[in-house]
Amino acid sequence: RVAVLSGDMDAQKKTAARVAFQPADDSAPMADIIVMSDAGATGANLQRGRHLIAVDTPPTAMLKEQRIG
């Protein structure tokens, strides 16, 4: 079960993807994996994830730390 979040999505679709991966309440998530672009991920704050797979190299150390955080 995969959710996709990218910068070209409107705010409502981005929120739906985030909630599918990390519900606001204690309900079970609808997505086990979330795939996102840097533009879509800005401010995502997804704490449920345990693994990060970067398919590109962040241009700065700060962006790398934000992804890991």
Side-chain angles (χ1 to χ4, degrees):
R1 302 179 306 173
V2 179
V4 176
L5 196 145
S6 67
D8 65 346
M9 297 167 75
D10 64 32
Q12 186 176 14
K13 288 181 181 178
K14 286 181 182 179
T15 299
R18 286 186 191 111
V19 170
F21 179 73
Q22 182 171 282
D25 55 16
D26 290 332
S27 63
M30 298 297 292
D32 302 307
I33 297 169
I34 188 164
V35 177
M36 62 182 91
S37 67
D38 270 346
T42 302
N45 196 24
L46 300 172
Q47 300 297 318
R48 190 176 76 83
R50 293 187 180 161
H51 303 282
L52 170 69
I53 300 170
V55 296
D56 60 350
T57 303
T60 66
M62 179 185 278
L63 285 176
K64 181 179 179 182
E65 288 300 317
Q66 287 175 344
R67 283 187 188 180
I68 293 169

Coordinates of all heavy atoms in Angstrom, one line a residue:
R1 N 0.8 -1.2 0.0 CA 0.0 0.0 0.0 C 0.9 1.2 0.0 O 1.6 1.4 0.9 CB -0.9 0.0 1.2 CG -1.8 -1.3 1.2 CD -2.7 -1.3 2.4 NE -1.9 -1.2 3.7 CZ -2.5 -1.1 4.9 NH1 -3.8 -1.1 5.0 NH2 -1.8 -0.9 5.9
V2 N 0.8 2.0 -1.1 CA 1.7 3.1 -1.3 C 0.9 4.4 -1.5 O -0.1 4.5 -2.2 CB 2.6 2.9 -2.5 CG1 3.5 4.1 -2.8 CG2 3.4 1.6 -2.4
A3 N 1.3 5.5 -0.8 CA 0.8 6.8 -1.0 C 1.9 7.6 -1.8 O 3.1 7.4 -1.6 CB 0.5 7.5 0.3
V4 N 1.4 8.5 -2.6 CA 2.4 9.4 -3.4 C 2.1 10.8 -3.0 O 0.9 11.3 -3.0 CB 2.2 9.1 -4.9 CG1 3.1 10.1 -5.7 CG2 2.5 7.7 -5.2
L5 N 3.2 11.6 -2.8 CA 3.0 13.0 -2.5 C 4.0 13.8 -3.3 O 5.2 13.5 -3.2 CB 3.3 13.2 -1.0 CG 2.8 14.5 -0.3 CD1 2.4 14.3 1.1 CD2 3.9 15.5 -0.4
S6 N 3.6 14.7 -4.1 CA 4.5 15.5 -4.9 C 4.1 17.0 -4.9 O 3.0 17.4 -4.5 CB 4.6 15.0 -6.3 OG 3.3 15.2 -7.0
G7 N 5.1 17.8 -5.3 CA 4.9 19.2 -5.3 C 3.8 19.7 -6.2 O 3.2 20.8 -6.1
D8 N 3.4 18.9 -7.2 CA 2.4 19.4 -8.2 C 0.9 19.1 -7.7 O 0.0 19.4 -8.4 CB 2.6 18.8 -9.6 CG 2.4 17.3 -9.6 OD1 2.4 16.7 -8.5 OD2 2.3 16.8 -10.7
M9 N 0.8 18.5 -6.5 CA -0.5 18.2 -6.0 C -1.1 19.4 -5.2 O -0.3 20.2 -4.6 CB -0.4 17.0 -5.0 CG 0.1 15.7 -5.7 SD 0.5 14.4 -4.5 CE -1.1 13.9 -3.9
D10 N -2.4 19.5 -5.2 CA -3.0 20.6 -4.4 C -2.9 20.2 -2.9 O -2.7 19.1 -2.6 CB -4.4 21.0 -4.9 CG -5.4 19.8 -4.7 OD1 -5.3 19.0 -3.8 OD2 -6.3 19.7 -5.5
A11 N -3.2 21.2 -2.1 CA -3.1 21.0 -0.6 C -4.0 19.9 -0.1 O -3.6 19.1 0.7 CB -3.4 22.3 0.1
Q12 N -5.2 19.7 -0.7 CA -6.1 18.7 -0.3 C -5.5 17.3 -0.6 O -5.6 16.4 0.3 CB -7.4 18.9 -0.9 CG -8.5 18.0 -0.4 CD -9.9 18.3 -1.1 OE1 -10.0 19.0 -2.0 NE2 -10.9 17.7 -0.5
K13 N -5.0 17.1 -1.7 CA -4.4 15.8 -2.1 C -3.1 15.5 -1.3 O -2.9 14.4 -0.9 CB -4.1 15.8 -3.6 CG -5.3 15.7 -4.5 CD -4.9 15.6 -5.9 CE -6.2 15.6 -6.8 NZ -5.9 15.6 -8.2
K14 N -2.3 16.5 -1.0 CA -1.2 16.3 -0.1 C -1.6 15.9 1.3 O -1.0 14.9 1.8 CB -0.3 17.6 0.0 CG 0.5 18.0 -1.3 CD 1.2 19.2 -1.0 CE 2.0 19.7 -2.2 NZ 2.8 20.9 -2.0
T15 N -2.6 16.5 1.8 CA -3.1 16.2 3.1 C -3.6 14.7 3.1 O -3.4 14.0 4.0 CB -4.2 17.1 3.6 OG1 -3.6 18.4 3.7 CG2 -4.8 16.8 4.9
A16 N -4.3 14.4 2.1 CA -4.9 13.0 2.0 C -3.8 12.0 2.0 O -3.9 10.9 2.6 CB -5.8 12.9 0.8
A17 N -2.7 12.3 1.2 CA -1.6 11.3 1.2 C -0.9 11.2 2.5 O -0.6 10.1 3.0 CB -0.6 11.8 0.1
R18 N -0.7 12.3 3.2 CA -0.1 12.3 4.6 C -0.9 11.5 5.5 O -0.4 10.7 6.3 CB 0.1 13.7 5.1 CG 1.2 14.5 4.4 CD 1.5 15.8 5.2 NE 2.4 16.6 4.4 CZ 2.0 17.7 3.7 NH1 0.8 18.2 3.8 NH2 2.9 18.4 3.0
V19 N -2.2 11.7 5.5 CA -3.1 11.1 6.4 C -3.2 9.6 6.1 O -3.3 8.7 7.0 CB -4.5 11.7 6.4 CG1 -5.6 10.9 7.2 CG2 -4.4 13.1 7.0
A20 N -3.1 9.2 4.8 CA -3.1 7.8 4.5 C -1.9 7.1 5.1 O -2.0 5.9 5.5 CB -3.1 7.6 3.0
F21 N -0.8 7.8 5.1 CA 0.4 7.2 5.7 C 0.5 7.3 7.2 O 0.9 6.4 7.9 CB 1.7 7.8 5.1 CG 3.0 7.3 5.6 CD1 3.4 6.1 5.3 CD2 3.7 8.1 6.5 CE1 4.6 5.6 5.7 CE2 4.9 7.6 7.0 CZ 5.4 6.4 6.6
Q22 N 0.1 8.4 7.7 CA 0.1 8.7 9.2 C -1.2 9.3 9.6 O -1.3 10.6 9.6 CB 1.3 9.7 9.4 CG 1.5 10.0 10.9 CD 2.8 10.7 11.1 OE1 3.9 10.2 11.1 NE2 2.7 12.0 11.2
P23 N -2.2 8.5 10.0 CA -3.5 9.0 10.4 C -3.4 10.0 11.6 O -2.5 9.8 12.4 CB -4.3 7.8 10.7 CG -3.6 6.7 10.0 CD -2.2 7.1 10.0
A24 N -4.3 10.9 11.7 CA -4.3 11.9 12.8 C -4.7 11.2 14.1 O -4.3 11.7 15.2 CB -5.2 13.1 12.5
D25 N -5.5 10.2 14.0 CA -6.0 9.5 15.2 C -5.2 8.1 15.3 O -4.2 7.9 14.7 CB -7.5 9.3 15.1 CG -7.9 8.6 13.9 OD1 -7.1 8.0 13.2 OD2 -9.1 8.6 13.6
D26 N -5.7 7.3 16.1 CA -5.1 6.0 16.3 C -5.5 4.9 15.3 O -5.2 3.7 15.5 CB -5.3 5.5 17.8 CG -4.6 6.3 18.8 OD1 -3.5 6.9 18.4 OD2 -5.1 6.4 19.9
S27 N -6.2 5.3 14.3 CA -6.6 4.3 13.3 C -5.5 3.7 12.5 O -4.4 4.3 12.4 CB -7.7 4.9 12.4 OG -7.1 6.0 11.6
A28 N -5.7 2.6 11.9 CA -4.6 2.0 11.1 C -4.4 2.8 9.8 O -5.3 3.3 9.2 CB -5.0 0.5 10.7
P29 N -3.1 2.9 9.4 CA -2.8 3.7 8.2 C -3.3 2.9 7.0 O -3.4 1.7 6.9 CB -1.3 3.8 8.2 CG -0.8 2.7 9.1 CD -1.9 2.4 10.1
M30 N -3.7 3.7 5.9 CA -4.1 3.1 4.7 C -2.9 2.9 3.8 O -3.0 2.2 2.8 CB -5.1 4.1 4.0 CG -6.3 4.3 4.8 SD -7.3 2.8 5.0 CE -7.8 2.5 3.3
A31 N -1.7 3.4 4.1 CA -0.5 3.2 3.3 C 0.6 2.9 4.2 O 0.8 3.4 5.3 CB -0.2 4.5 2.5
D32 N 1.4 1.9 3.7 CA 2.6 1.5 4.5 C 3.9 2.2 4.0 O 4.9 2.3 4.7 CB 2.8 0.0 4.3 CG 1.6 -0.8 4.7 OD1 1.2 -0.6 5.9 OD2 1.1 -1.6 4.0
I33 N 3.8 2.7 2.8 CA 5.0 3.4 2.2 C 4.5 4.7 1.6 O 3.4 4.8 1.0 CB 5.6 2.5 1.0 CG1 6.1 1.2 1.6 CG2 6.6 3.3 0.3 CD1 6.5 0.2 0.5
I34 N 5.3 5.7 1.7 CA 5.0 7.0 1.1 C 6.2 7.4 0.2 O 7.3 7.4 0.7 CB 4.6 8.1 2.1 CG1 4.0 9.3 1.4 CG2 5.7 8.4 3.0 CD1 3.3 10.3 2.3
V35 N 5.9 7.7 -1.0 CA 6.9 8.2 -2.0 C 6.7 9.6 -2.2 O 5.5 10.0 -2.6 CB 6.8 7.4 -3.3 CG1 7.8 7.9 -4.3 CG2 7.0 5.9 -3.0
M36 N 7.7 10.5 -2.0 CA 7.5 11.9 -2.2 C 8.7 12.6 -2.8 O 9.8 12.2 -2.6 CB 7.1 12.5 -0.9 CG 8.1 12.4 0.2 SD 7.5 13.1 1.7 CE 6.8 11.7 2.5
S37 N 8.4 13.7 -3.5 CA 9.4 14.6 -4.0 C 9.8 15.5 -2.9 O 9.1 15.7 -1.9 CB 8.9 15.3 -5.2 OG 7.8 16.2 -4.8
D38 N 10.9 16.2 -3.1 CA 11.4 17.2 -2.1 C 10.3 18.3 -2.0 O 10.0 18.7 -0.9 CB 12.7 17.9 -2.6 CG 13.9 17.1 -2.0 OD1 13.7 16.3 -1.1 OD2 15.0 17.4 -2.5
A39 N 9.8 18.7 -3.1 CA 8.8 19.8 -3.1 C 7.5 19.4 -2.3 O 7.0 20.1 -1.6 CB 8.4 20.2 -4.5
G40 N 7.1 18.1 -2.5 CA 6.0 17.6 -1.8 C 6.2 17.4 -0.3 O 5.3 17.5 0.5
A41 N 7.4 17.0 0.0 CA 7.8 16.6 1.3 C 8.0 17.8 2.3 O 8.1 17.6 3.5 CB 9.0 15.8 1.3
T42 N 8.2 19.0 1.8 CA 8.5 20.1 2.6 C 7.4 20.3 3.7 O 6.2 20.4 3.3 CB 8.6 21.4 1.7 OG1 9.6 21.2 0.8 CG2 8.9 22.6 2.6
G43 N 7.8 20.2 4.9 CA 6.9 20.4 6.0 C 6.0 19.2 6.3 O 5.1 19.3 7.1
A44 N 6.3 18.0 5.7 CA 5.5 16.8 5.9 C 5.5 16.3 7.3 O 4.4 15.9 7.8 CB 5.9 15.7 5.0
N45 N 6.6 16.3 8.0 CA 6.7 15.9 9.4 C 6.1 14.6 9.7 O 5.2 14.4 10.5 CB 6.1 17.0 10.3 CG 6.5 16.8 11.8 OD1 7.5 16.2 12.1 ND2 5.7 17.3 12.7
L46 N 6.6 13.6 9.0 CA 6.0 12.2 9.1 C 6.9 11.4 10.0 O 7.9 10.9 9.6 CB 6.0 11.6 7.7 CG 5.1 12.3 6.7 CD1 5.2 11.7 5.3 CD2 3.6 12.3 7.1
Q47 N 6.5 11.3 11.2 CA 7.3 10.6 12.3 C 7.1 9.1 12.3 O 7.9 8.4 13.0 CB 7.0 11.2 13.6 CG 7.3 12.7 13.7 CD 8.7 13.1 13.5 OE1 9.6 12.4 14.0 NE2 9.0 14.1 12.7
R48 N 6.1 8.6 11.7 CA 5.8 7.1 11.8 C 6.8 6.3 11.0 O 7.1 5.2 11.3 CB 4.4 6.8 11.3 CG 4.0 5.4 11.6 CD 2.5 5.2 11.1 NE 2.4 5.0 9.7 CZ 2.6 3.9 9.0 NH1 3.0 2.8 9.7 NH2 2.4 3.8 7.8
G49 N 7.4 6.9 10.0 CA 8.3 6.1 9.1 C 9.6 5.7 9.9 O 10.1 6.4 10.8
R50 N 10.1 4.5 9.6 CA 11.3 4.0 10.2 C 12.5 4.0 9.3 O 13.6 3.9 9.7 CB 11.0 2.6 10.8 CG 10.1 2.6 11.9 CD 10.0 1.3 12.5 NE 9.0 1.4 13.6 CZ 8.4 0.3 14.1 NH1 8.7 -0.9 13.7 NH2 7.5 0.5 15.1
H51 N 12.2 4.0 8.0 CA 13.2 4.0 7.0 C 13.1 5.1 6.0 O 12.0 5.5 5.6 CB 13.2 2.6 6.2 CG 13.2 1.4 7.1 ND1 14.4 1.0 7.7 CD2 12.3 0.6 7.6 CE1 14.2 0.0 8.5 NE2 12.9 -0.3 8.4
L52 N 14.2 5.6 5.5 CA 14.2 6.6 4.5 C 15.1 6.1 3.4 O 16.2 5.7 3.6 CB 14.8 7.9 5.1 CG 15.1 9.0 4.0 CD1 13.8 9.6 3.4 CD2 15.9 10.1 4.6
I53 N 14.5 6.1 2.2 CA 15.3 5.8 1.0 C 15.3 7.0 0.1 O 14.3 7.5 -0.4 CB 14.6 4.6 0.2 CG1 14.5 3.4 1.1 CG2 15.4 4.3 -1.0 CD1 13.7 2.3 0.6
A54 N 16.5 7.6 -0.1 CA 16.7 8.7 -0.9 C 17.2 8.3 -2.3 O 18.2 7.6 -2.4 CB 17.7 9.7 -0.3
V55 N 16.5 8.6 -3.3 CA 16.9 8.2 -4.6 C 17.7 9.3 -5.3 O 18.0 9.2 -6.5 CB 15.6 7.8 -5.5 CG1 15.0 6.6 -4.9 CG2 14.7 9.0 -5.6
D56 N 17.9 10.4 -4.6 CA 18.8 11.5 -5.1 C 19.6 12.0 -3.9 O 19.4 11.6 -2.8 CB 18.0 12.6 -5.7 CG 17.0 13.2 -4.6 OD1 16.9 12.7 -3.5 OD2 16.4 14.3 -4.9
T57 N 20.6 12.8 -4.2 CA 21.4 13.3 -3.2 C 21.0 14.8 -2.9 O 20.9 15.6 -3.8 CB 22.9 13.4 -3.6 OG1 23.3 12.1 -4.0 CG2 23.8 13.9 -2.5
P58 N 20.6 15.0 -1.6 CA 20.2 16.4 -1.3 C 21.3 17.4 -1.6 O 22.5 17.1 -1.3 CB 19.9 16.3 0.2 CG 19.7 14.9 0.5 CD 20.5 14.1 -0.5
P59 N 21.0 18.5 -2.1 CA 22.0 19.5 -2.5 C 22.7 20.1 -1.3 O 23.8 20.6 -1.4 CB 21.3 20.6 -3.3 CG 19.8 20.4 -2.9 CD 19.6 19.0 -2.5
T60 N 22.2 20.1 -0.1 CA 22.8 20.7 1.1 C 22.7 19.7 2.3 O 21.8 18.9 2.3 CB 22.2 22.0 1.5 OG1 20.8 21.7 1.9 CG2 22.2 23.0 0.3
A61 N 23.6 19.9 3.2 CA 23.6 19.1 4.4 C 22.3 19.4 5.2 O 21.8 18.4 5.9 CB 24.8 19.4 5.3
M62 N 21.8 20.6 5.2 CA 20.6 20.9 5.9 C 19.4 20.1 5.4 O 18.6 19.6 6.2 CB 20.3 22.4 5.8 CG 19.0 22.8 6.6 SD 18.6 24.5 6.3 CE 19.7 25.3 7.5
L63 N 19.3 20.0 4.1 CA 18.2 19.2 3.5 C 18.3 17.8 3.9 O 17.3 17.1 4.1 CB 18.1 19.4 2.0 CG 17.6 20.7 1.5 CD1 17.7 20.8 0.0 CD2 16.1 20.9 1.9
K64 N 19.5 17.3 3.9 CA 19.8 15.9 4.3 C 19.3 15.7 5.7 O 18.6 14.7 6.0 CB 21.2 15.5 4.2 CG 21.5 14.1 4.5 CD 23.0 13.7 4.3 CE 23.2 12.3 4.7 NZ 24.7 11.9 4.6
E65 N 19.7 16.5 6.6 CA 19.2 16.4 8.0 C 17.7 16.5 8.2 O 17.1 15.8 9.0 CB 19.9 17.5 8.9 CG 21.4 17.2 9.1 CD 21.6 15.9 9.8 OE1 20.9 15.5 10.8 OE2 22.6 15.2 9.4
Q66 N 17.1 17.4 7.4 CA 15.6 17.5 7.5 C 15.0 16.2 7.0 O 14.0 15.8 7.6 CB 15.2 18.7 6.6 CG 15.5 20.0 7.2 CD 15.1 21.2 6.2 OE1 14.9 21.0 5.1 NE2 15.0 22.4 6.8
R67 N 15.5 15.6 6.0 CA 14.9 14.3 5.6 C 15.0 13.3 6.6 O 14.1 12.5 6.9 CB 15.6 13.8 4.3 CG 15.3 14.5 3.1 CD 15.9 13.8 1.9 NE 15.7 14.5 0.7 CZ 16.2 14.1 -0.5 NH1 16.9 13.0 -0.6 NH2 16.0 14.8 -1.6
I68 N 16.2 13.2 7.3 CA 16.4 12.2 8.3 C 15.6 12.5 9.5 O 15.1 11.6 10.1 CB 17.9 12.1 8.6 CG1 18.7 11.6 7.5 CG2 18.1 11.3 9.9 CD1 20.2 11.7 7.6
G69 N 15.4 13.8 9.9 CA 14.7 14.1 11.0 C 13.2 13.7 10.9 O 12.6 13.4 11.9

